[in-house]
Amino acid sequence: MRITGSRVVQTIAATLAVGVIATGCASERGEKNEGKGGDTFVFGAAGDPGSLDPALASDGETFRVTRQAFEALIEHEPGGTKLVGGLAESWEADESGTEWTFKLREGVKFHDGEKLTAEAVCKNYDHWFNWTGTYQESAVSYYWQKIFGGFAKNENKDTPKANYKGCEAKDEHTVVINVHEATANLPGGFSLQALAIHSPKAIDAYKKQELSGEGDAISYPKYSQEAGTVAGTGPFRITKWDKGNKEVTLERFDDYWGEKAGVEKLVFRTIAEESARRQALQAGNIHGYDLVAPSDVKTLEKEGFQVPVRGVFNIFYMGMSQEANKALKKKDVRQAITHAIDRENIVKTQLPEGGVVATQFMPDTVDGHSKDVPTYEFDTKKAEDLLKKAGEENLKVTFCYPTEVTRPYMPAPADMFELMKADLEKAGISVTPKPMKWAPDYIDATEAGTCDLHLLGWTGDFNDAYNFIGTWFAGYDKQWGFRDDKVFDAVKKSSAEPDVTKRVELYKKANEAIMEYIPGVPVSSSPPSIAFAKDVNLPEVSPLTQENFAEVSFK
């Protein structure tokens, strides 16, 4: 791997390379396993994917599936957070940090037989840049907007100005991507699954099918909901999505450029309840599952199952939408809600050993975490007093929470919701529950800012503080529905600083500004566990939850 060019590149790379590294030594329904390279590995997923096109997604359950079939220009080392070559063998930036040059691997084929070329890469980036209509909804093009801003022609006043400038194929295997301004989002952004590379033939087919709707009623294009059109370069190709049985099937891609997958078939079967996933593993109906309940870890280990633990690299929070409920525009109300939540109780009763109460919107394992942020201790009486001060003693809120899913930062959404609901009601707040299916309903609704309160979280995509706080607070975001230049400017200033030492100090100041404004409630960070059958050779487990199931085989 080659990363050269300037202090800008070197300092950004240095930040991204420092991280928490967790590794592990890495079973089709009722079928006999007959060794490496054969049969089917079934994984119990916590939720359905929302799309087979990762560019239209922003959630981990979708990416868990698509990551096996699609690859980005840059990837992360197995089991860690260091950036390594993906479809690009090497990359470099110029002195200004605005011109990024990638040397592509030769001999790479897409699942439909097309060849990976520089022109194919540019076709992907220009395809995203030229999205119009509903594609510009933040719930759809979430990651594009977070990394590259807006589009060739923005149709919404709140869409950020485009930082993407253009893409050029210098030769068959050399591609140059230009941006207007240097940003801490790069090069990490080039590793995102949402920006993984598709076959140019597939992209032509995508354009024939439109996406429609808005807010929490978006209708995704047919190609993204059925196997057959999407085509990446990964070790598996997606061959079937049986929504009735909640299964996505992938088959080994024998023309893969790298090491071939250790199993012939890979099936992701959605089993929403953790206890049901555990029972399926114990019965031999699946060979692995994620987000093991803390109380089940020791039981599974005693029975001989393998339960590696990832490093802490996530944040769980209660979001507030000021556009959905005008009372939330009052700082006293936001502070009252924060004081009303017993976060220590949530950590003790709902999270695995190693979970901690969060003081800001990023884990303390990432540089830029500040010890000087304002803190909000659990105090029901103080919450009541603040509501009275704000003239909101009879505050009513709609509180959304997800069903049919568990997340690395949120192992039991309904239970965590009930604890928070009880806390809020003790402070005199009237809560109307609004349970919603995770994908796409809940994701779309929260991104559109239609819930007064909601539960979400974040597992880092790459190791930089901006990937956390910049995701939400670098500018107006419908999820939060607020505008505060002090917060926005502090976050954006940190991103633009090329010196790594200075940038980390600016991240601390940004965290302090965010917690002074208190747009929501950071609740906790925790180390999620993942479980496998006794006869499985494990993949390297990732603090980013980016396991590569091509590494799986049977003993």
Side-chain angles (χ1 to χ4, degrees):
M1 179 184 68
R2 176 167 57 99
I3 309 177
T4 61
S6 67
R7 185 179 65 168
V8 174
V9 182
Q10 292 166 349
T11 55
I12 291 176
T15 301
L16 294 167
V18 177
V20 180
I21 299 178
T23 59
C25 52
S27 307
E28 181 161 62
R29 192 184 279 128
E31 289 190 7
K32 180 181 178 182
N33 300 319
E34 296 178 351
K36 183 177 179 180
D39 303 315
T40 302
F41 178 85
V42 183
F43 191 83
D48 295 329
S51 166
L52 297 184
D53 179 351
L56 305 180
S58 62
D59 67 293
E61 291 304 327
T62 295
F63 294 149
R64 189 199 305 279
V65 174
T66 63
R67 181 170 287 109
Q68 316 307 319
F70 292 92
E71 297 172 302
L73 291 172
I74 302 174
E75 300 287 348
H76 287 94
E77 65 177 352
T81 61
K82 180 181 178 181
L83 292 174
V84 297
L87 292 180
E89 289 185 317
S90 63
W91 68 93
E92 60 183 359
D94 67 354
E95 279 292 326
S96 67
T98 61
E99 181 180 286
W100 293 85
T101 302
F102 301 86
K103 289 292 184 181
L104 303 180
R105 297 184 187 277
E106 298 185 18
V108 177
K109 289 184 179 181
F110 290 96
H111 300 152
D112 58 7
E114 293 285 292
K115 293 181 179 180
L116 173 69
T117 64
E119 289 185 353
V121 172
C122 285
K123 188 161 187 170
N124 277 261
Y125 276 81
D126 289 341
H127 167 63
W128 301 320
F129 182 52
N130 285 283
W131 269 338
T132 60
T134 307
Y135 285 99
Q136 292 195 11
E137 286 277 337
S138 62
V140 179
S141 52
Y142 182 85
Y143 270 111
W144 173 267
Q145 294 191 46
K146 292 303 178 185
I147 302 301
F148 290 107
F151 306 91
K153 186 177 181 180
N154 285 348
E155 300 172 8
N156 187 316
K157 65 180 178 64
D158 291 319
T159 302
K161 179 182 177 182
N163 195 32
Y164 176 80
K165 188 175 182 180
C167 182
E168 180 184 358
K170 287 288 188 180
D171 57 45
E172 187 175 11
H173 294 101
T174 304
V175 61
V176 178
I177 296 176
N178 290 285
V179 294
H180 292 287
E181 299 178 355
T183 169
N185 275 329
L186 301 177
F190 294 121
S191 72
L192 293 179
Q193 177 61 195
L195 301 181
I197 306 303
H198 300 241
S199 160
K201 184 188 295 185
I203 290 177
D204 288 337
Y206 298 170
K207 294 178 180 179
K208 299 175 183 178
Q209 300 177 32
E210 287 300 315
L211 175 132
S212 61
E214 61 182 1
D216 58 357
I218 291 174
S219 179
Y220 286 82
K222 184 178 179 180
Y223 81 83
S224 72
Q225 303 298 304
E226 298 179 358
T229 303
V230 296
T233 59
F236 292 98
R237 57 189 180 89
I238 302 172
T239 57
K240 186 178 181 180
W241 187 358
D242 185 339
K243 291 190 174 183
N245 286 325
K246 293 182 170 290
E247 289 187 350
V248 180
T249 299
L250 300 90
E251 298 181 7
R252 183 169 59 203
F253 181 46
D254 289 329
D255 284 335
Y256 181 58
W257 61 268
E259 185 174 348
K260 306 301 184 289
V263 291
E264 292 178 357
K265 287 186 179 181
L266 171 62
V267 174
F268 290 99
R269 182 182 304 158
T270 300
I271 306 174
E273 296 296 326
E274 189 278 338
S275 60
R277 294 198 297 276
R278 171 179 52 76
Q279 291 166 6
L281 179 68
Q282 292 169 320
N285 293 326
I286 62 174
H287 309 107
Y289 76 95
D290 203 354
L291 313 181
V292 181
S295 59
D296 288 337
V297 172
K298 290 184 178 180
T299 298
L300 289 171
E301 289 179 333
K302 287 180 179 179
E303 294 175 0
F305 294 99
Q306 305 173 83
V307 193
V309 179
R310 302 184 179 99
V312 177
F313 208 67
N314 59 42
I315 188 76
F316 170 53
Y317 63 84
M318 174 200 284
M320 305 180 191
S321 174
Q322 296 183 28
E323 294 297 335
N325 189 324
K326 304 304 181 185
L328 297 173
K329 291 182 177 294
K330 300 177 182 180
K331 185 176 179 179
D332 287 336
V333 172
R334 301 195 302 275
Q335 288 181 327
I337 290 173
T338 308
H339 281 296
I341 303 301
D342 188 350
R343 292 177 283 176
E344 186 68 41
N345 182 50
I346 292 171
V347 169
K348 288 181 177 179
T349 63
Q350 301 297 315
L351 297 179
E353 185 177 346
V356 296
V357 172
T359 62
Q360 52 213 279
F361 285 88
M362 55 182 276
D364 61 9
T365 52
V366 179
D367 288 341
H369 192 273
S370 174
K371 296 180 180 179
D372 298 320
V373 296
T375 56
Y376 303 85
E377 71 282 359
F378 171 53
D379 190 329
T380 302
K381 179 62 167 57
K382 192 167 188 177
E384 293 172 335
D385 291 343
L386 284 166
L387 289 172
K388 184 176 181 179
K389 179 183 176 183
E392 298 289 350
E393 299 99 319
N394 299 313
L395 179 64
K396 297 179 180 181
V397 296
T398 298
F399 196 158
C400 301
Y401 67 95
T403 62
E404 302 181 37
V405 74
T406 53
R407 303 301 304 128
Y409 45 79
M410 184 170 55
D415 294 343
M416 299 170 97
F417 162 77
E418 290 294 344
L419 289 174
M420 294 187 192
K421 175 176 177 289
D423 287 342
L424 294 171
E425 291 176 337
K426 287 177 184 177
I429 300 172
S430 177
V431 178
T432 299
K434 189 175 181 180
M436 303 176 73
K437 180 182 178 182
W438 173 256
D441 303 8
Y442 187 76
I443 295 297
D444 289 351
T446 54
E447 293 300 338
T450 60
C451 299
D452 298 2
L453 305 180
H454 64 272
L455 301 180
L456 266 181
W458 188 263
T459 297
D461 297 304
F462 49 87
N463 191 19
D464 189 274
Y466 193 75
N467 182 241
F468 287 89
I469 58 176
T471 296
W472 307 297
F473 307 126
Y476 177 81
D477 187 322
K478 287 183 178 180
Q479 178 184 170
W480 309 92
F482 77 91
R483 303 174 193 276
D484 186 88
D485 288 340
K486 183 177 180 181
V487 171
F488 297 165
D489 291 345
V491 176
K492 287 188 287 188
K493 184 178 180 181
S494 64
S495 171
E497 173 55 58
D499 183 272
V500 64
T501 302
K502 294 180 180 179
R503 180 149 38 92
V504 168
E505 291 305 310
L506 289 173
Y507 284 148
K508 293 179 182 179
K509 295 299 182 183
N511 276 312
E512 292 158 20
I514 293 166
M515 292 307 296
E516 177 64 37
Y517 183 84
I518 194 67
V521 186
V523 178
S524 59
S525 295
S526 58
S529 299
I530 185 170
F532 293 93
K534 308 168 188 177
D535 61 344
V536 173
N537 292 310
L538 305 189
E540 295 281 359
V541 299
S542 165
L544 306 171
T545 67
Q546 295 181 4
E547 283 79 24
N548 175 8
F549 287 97
E551 297 173 358
V552 166
S553 62
F554 294 111
K555 297 179 181 178

